[in-house]
């Protein structure tokens, strides 16, 4: 649990320094998915942030696999959007 929170903090710092680095943004999105999965942040809030970040990464690199996976995960578990998750 501590590692997930630390990863989130470090990826957020990375994104603050390098706001156009799509892989870092995607990793921050993944960390929000994990915060939700391990009940370290309210699921609705964490999944919404994950989707927003994944889409930001995809705006920079439209086929970035980690961003697609992060968005699909958040869509599936957060919004129960199975079709959207499968499309990602």
């Amino acid at each position: 649990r501590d590692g997930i929170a630390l990863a989130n903090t470090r990826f957020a710092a990375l994104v603050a320094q390098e706001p156009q680095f799509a892989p870092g943004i995607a990793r921050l999105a993944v960390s929000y998915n994990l915060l939700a999965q391990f009940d370290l942040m309210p699921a609705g809030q964490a999944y919404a942030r994950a989707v927003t970040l994944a889409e930001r990464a995809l705006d920079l690199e439209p086929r970035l696999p980690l961003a697609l996976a992060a968005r699909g995960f958040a869509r599936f578990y957060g919004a129960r959007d199975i079709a959207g998750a499968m499309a990602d």
Side-chain angles (χ1 to χ4, degrees):
R1 290 174 168 254
D2 292 340
I4 295 167
L6 179 61
N8 179 266
T9 300
R10 289 188 176 170
F11 284 126
L14 170 68
V15 169
Q17 289 181 342
E18 298 290 337
Q20 302 300 310
F21 183 54
I25 298 167
R27 284 172 175 78
L28 181 57
V30 169
S31 75
Y32 277 106
N33 283 334
L34 292 172
L35 288 174
Q37 287 287 297
F38 286 89
D39 296 321
L40 299 172
M41 177 181 272
Q45 182 182 1
Y47 289 131
R49 287 184 186 182
V51 168
T52 298
L53 287 160
E55 289 177 347
R56 183 172 150 198
L58 290 166
D59 285 343
L60 296 167
E61 290 188 34
R63 308 263 323 136
L64 185 64
L66 188 59
L68 290 167
R71 185 174 66 181
F73 189 96
R75 283 178 168 178
F76 183 84
Y77 286 103
R80 302 290 189 231
D81 176 7
I82 296 168
M86 294 302 291
D88 285 338

